[in-house]
């Protein structure tokens, strides 16, 4: 063992200057990707459950396609393709946001599909008996219940999503890991930087998963 | 947009398209490079999978031992530790931090460190599956082992584990495929695997779409092959008469 930690590395200025900025972006990316992913994921799930081949097949191909490619490759793909399609460079940060929404939609769609399928058929019939249209039935009866049942799983996926945001490292976007990375390089203390990154991610993710576990218990009691 | 698949026949140094798409006399084309990168990806993934299966099985089993709260607690801590730190950060820790704490690790190749990092990261997830597989077994199975006069070790070896592994084959399949996808983070410490190849070749040739398509195909193909192998094992090890075992492939 010869670990000599330079504690001055952990000065508050440094964190405000480098890490805090990155953390803000990581959180922003997580929130947007979660909300966008749940929205588009729900649409994809509805497409897959619609029973119409024209909707079902493309949605299935999209979901399975996304799930069989490493996230890093998807990030690189979008970083290359999005500027090509819209004709101008948009920067690593914006490109990462588009990537994550598109990528997470595939994962959230599987969760929402399971959630919708877990709703008893009688609920759908009840809605129909009340004269609800398909849209009303989904919006007012099925989806709220599916969403509540799947809340712990959705949150668990969000924790994974937060961890995965570190992969924007591949295109050089400025997230929390990048913040630690730059701080470590500027101060010549890479060991402290990566150690601090590991501890910070651990504390955040552990706290979140502890919260999800408690929520899970609470929801279980309601049912 | 026009395709230019000839990019794979280009020499990596002169950028000239050769007669054959494989380089001769020590010259390397992009196709040569792609295949070697694929080899690195497969090596990282398969070795990490071996580590993950061994460590994950041990930790997962320890977490179900009766009357050993300390061992169970340590197992739980292991899982929480490796599950709550992003894989990329763990790779950096193994590459930058561990060698500076333990000088013994200084000379160790980046490839080995990445394999350990991905292996241990995955071991936490496999430990979770092994544990839930063992706990999914009826209590009577353990008692049956005890009634036969088996020691705890024998009960696990001959009664619990053979059943547990067959139950958890589907999630293990997903995990095996995940290892292939996760091996892509090795680019961060300059292991010459597929993602690294994709980034560098894209830069050199400016034919990103063709390069990324080829690399993506390699990843998808690898994951598909693993999926088929696991489905075959699952079929052969199926327990007759169990609900979990009656479903088709996936």
């Amino acid at each position: 063992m010869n670990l000599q930690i330079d504690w001055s590395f952990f000065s508050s200025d440094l964190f405000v200057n480098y890490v805090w900025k990155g953390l803000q972006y990581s959180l922003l990316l997580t929130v947007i990707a979660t909300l966008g992913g749940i929205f588009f994921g729900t649409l994809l799930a509805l497409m897959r459950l619609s029973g119409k081949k024209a909707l079902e097949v493309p949605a299935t191909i999209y979901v399975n396609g996304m799930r069989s490619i490493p996230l890093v490759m998807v990030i690189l793909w979008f970083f290359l393709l999005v500027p090509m399609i819209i004709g101008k460079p948009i920067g690593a940060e914006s490109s990462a946001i588009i990537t994550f929404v598109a990528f997470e939609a595939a994962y959230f769609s599987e969760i929402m599909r399971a959630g919708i399928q877990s709703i008893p058929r009688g609920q759908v019939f009840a809605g129909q008996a009340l004269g609800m249209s398909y849209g009303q039935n989904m919006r007012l009866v099925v989806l709220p219940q599916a969403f509540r049942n799947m809340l712990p799983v959705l949150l668990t996926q969000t924790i994974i999503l937060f961890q995965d945001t570190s992969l924007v490292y591949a295109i050089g976007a400025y997230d929390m890991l990048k913040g630690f990375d730059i701080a470590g390089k500027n101060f010549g203390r890479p060991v402290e930087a990566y150690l601090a990154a590991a501890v910070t991610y651990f504390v955040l993710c552990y706290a979140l998963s502890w919260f999800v576990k408690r929520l899970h218990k609470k929801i279980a009691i309601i049912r | 947009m026009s395709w230019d698949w000839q990019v794979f026949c280009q020499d990596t140094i002169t950028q000239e398209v050769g007669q054959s798409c494989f380089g001769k006399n020590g010259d390397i084309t992009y196709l040569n490079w792609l295949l070697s990168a694929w080899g690195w990806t497969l090596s990282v993934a398969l070795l990490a999978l071996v580590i993950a299966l061994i460590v994950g099985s041990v930790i997962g089993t320890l977490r179900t031992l009766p009357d050993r709260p300390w061992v169970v607690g340590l197992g739980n801590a292991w899982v929480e530790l490796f599950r709550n730190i992003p894989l990329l950060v763990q790779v950096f820790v193994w590459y930058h931090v561990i060698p500076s704490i333990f000088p013994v690790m200084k000379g160790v190749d980046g490839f080995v460190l990445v394999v350990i990092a991905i292996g241990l990261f995955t071991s936490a997830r496999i430990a979770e599956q092994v544990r839930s597989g063992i706990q999914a077994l009826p209590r009577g199975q353990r008692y049956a082992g005890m009634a036969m006069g088996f020691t705890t070790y024998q009960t696990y070896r001959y009664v619990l584990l053979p059943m547990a592994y067959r139950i958890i084959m589907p999630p293990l399949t997903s995990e095996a495929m995940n290892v292939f996808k996760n091996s892509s983070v090795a680019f961060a410490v300059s292991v010459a695997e597929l993602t690294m190849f994709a980034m560098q070749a894209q830069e050199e040739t400016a034919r990103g779409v063709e390069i990324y398509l080829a690399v993506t195909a390699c990843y998808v193909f690898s994951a598909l092959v693993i999926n088929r192998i696991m489905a075959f094992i699952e079929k052969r090890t199926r327990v007759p008469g169990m609900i979990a075992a009656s479903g088709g492939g996936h």
Side-chain angles (χ1 to χ4, degrees), chain A residues 8 30 38 45 51 68 73 78-79 88-89 95 99 103 105 111 122 139 150 161 167 194 202:
Chain A
S8 67
T30 306
I38 289 176
S68 56
M73 277 312 294
F78 274 75
F79 191 52
K88 59 173 185 215
S95 141
T99 311
F103 184 81
I111 299 172
R139 191 161 49 85
M150 286 292 127
L161 167 54
L167 293 175
Y194 292 123
F202 178 81

Side-chain angles (χ1 to χ4, degrees), chain B residues 25-162:
Chain B
N25 315 327
D27 292 342
I28 298 172
T29 64
Y30 283 100
L31 186 62
N32 291 132
W33 189 4
L34 172 76
L35 292 177
S36 122
W38 196 359
W40 281 103
T41 288
L42 294 178
S43 318
V44 170
L46 290 176
L47 288 174
L49 188 59
V50 170
I51 293 184
L53 279 173
I54 296 172
V55 180
S57 300
V58 172
I59 302 277
T61 308
L62 290 181
R63 292 174 75 199
T64 62
L65 285 182
D67 312 319
R68 292 277 174 81
W70 270 97
V71 178
V72 174
L74 277 178
N76 292 346
W78 176 278
V79 171
E80 293 296 344
L81 180 69
F82 286 97
R83 199 166 61 171
N84 284 314
I85 301 175
L87 177 56
L88 185 57
V89 178
Q90 292 192 32
V91 168
F92 281 139
V93 167
W94 279 96
Y95 194 72
H96 295 283
V97 180
I98 304 280
S100 81
I101 299 178
F102 304 100
V104 198
M105 307 283 285
K106 272 236 161 78
V108 179
D109 196 52
F111 168 78
V112 178
L113 294 173
V114 157
V115 167
I116 297 176
I118 300 176
L120 294 190
F121 173 82
T122 314
S123 82
R125 306 168 57 113
I126 289 183
E128 190 72 349
Q129 288 160 7
V130 170
R131 180 190 65 111
S132 63
I134 294 172
Q135 286 180 343
L137 296 172
R139 219 174 306 177
Q141 300 252 339
R142 188 187 290 271
Y143 296 154
M146 285 156 74
M148 298 284 286
F150 282 173
T151 61
T152 307
Y153 172 77
Q154 285 171 324
T155 310
Y156 274 96
R157 166 73 184 79
Y158 296 111
V159 183
L160 299 178
L161 288 178

Side-chain angles (χ1 to χ4, degrees), chain A residues 112-124:
Chain A
M112 286 310 291
R113 192 162 66 103
I116 295 169
Q117 283 176 329
S118 75
I119 306 297
R121 277 227 165 260
Q123 297 281 330
V124 181

Side-chain angles (χ1 to χ4, degrees), chain A residues 129-175:
Chain A
L130 285 167
M132 283 183 178
S133 68
Y134 174 81
Q136 285 173 322
N137 209 345
M138 274 297 162
R139 191 161 49 85
L140 300 171
V141 181
V142 178
L143 284 182
Q145 297 188 66
F147 195 76
R148 202 193 69 181
N149 288 353
M150 286 292 127
L151 196 56
V153 191
L154 290 170
L155 285 172
T156 305
Q157 178 62 29
T158 302
I159 299 173
I160 298 172
L161 167 54
F162 175 65
Q163 293 190 17
D164 282 349
T165 58
S166 61
L167 293 175
V168 299
Y169 184 87
I171 52 171
Y174 198 136
D175 73 319

